[in-house]
Amino acid sequence: QQQVKQSPQSLIVQKGGISIINCAYENTAFDYFPWYQQFPGKGPALLIAIRPDVSEKKEGRFTISFNKSAKQFSLHIMDSQPGDSATYFCAAYVGRGAQKLVFGQGTRLTINP
Amino acid sequence: GAVVSQHPSRVICKSGTSVKIECRSLDFQATTMFWYRQFPKQSLMLMATSNEGSKATYEQGVEKDKFLINHASLTLSTLTVTSAHPEDSSFYICSARAQFNYGYTFGSGTRLTVV
């Protein structure tokens, strides 16, 4: 019930295309859903996050879509650029207290020029 | 914004020696910090939760005597890999959350190589 399942494992998108990464969770107590971007040899960096009372959040080219009834959320990267090539992790946690982040398995995104 | 500084970024040590990794919250106080281990092409695996002024809570399967965690102040947590062996070679990452702030901030990671 603590798992967050992420797909696909790897994704190749042409420059200018839309990259879509999906995640699903079981624990309905989760109330905060961040996405992290990680470049090789670096720690993850927070990209964008959403709470379950919102169905969509957009920041620049990055959009999170959230479906509470289906317990699914996804990251859309519009106009994907080679600089977006990285590993992306979805995550979830319960906001109250110092709760553990539960990570998805990660998606290695490659944007071809 | 919240910044977490982690040092060293890379370390090579001989088998049998100990290595200490530091994690500092630079502009906020962190009563709780987290230590992760990441193998190539895999997700982050939580090793332990570090609580200021008290013992760390280790995840199942993590040897607390091998991975010593100390959280002596609200801005510093350390992870010491004792009697390191080649199988301990990995990427170690810490994270912290500023009080009353929902976001978790990660350090830049430490690449440990045991030879």
Side-chain angles (χ1 to χ4, degrees), chain B residues 55-68:
Chain B
K55 290 183 179 180
T57 303
Y58 291 83
E59 295 298 301
Q60 191 174 6
V62 177
E63 299 175 62
K64 61 181 180 181
D65 294 330
K66 166 166 275 296
F67 300 101
L68 299 180

Side-chain angles (χ1 to χ4, degrees), chain B residues 13-56:
Chain B
C13 72
K14 291 186 177 180
S15 187
T17 62
S18 297
V19 173
K20 180 183 285 188
I21 302 169
E22 289 190 350
C23 181
R24 294 181 184 271
S25 56
L26 296 186
D27 50 1
F28 66 99
Q29 293 182 330
T31 55
T32 304
M33 291 185 175
F34 302 87
W35 287 95
Y36 295 84
R37 184 173 181 176
Q38 187 178 33
F39 291 104
K41 299 184 180 181
Q42 293 191 23
S43 188
L44 285 78
M45 181 188 77
L46 180 65
M47 299 174 65
T49 302
S50 167
N51 301 295
E52 186 266 336
S54 64
K55 290 183 179 180

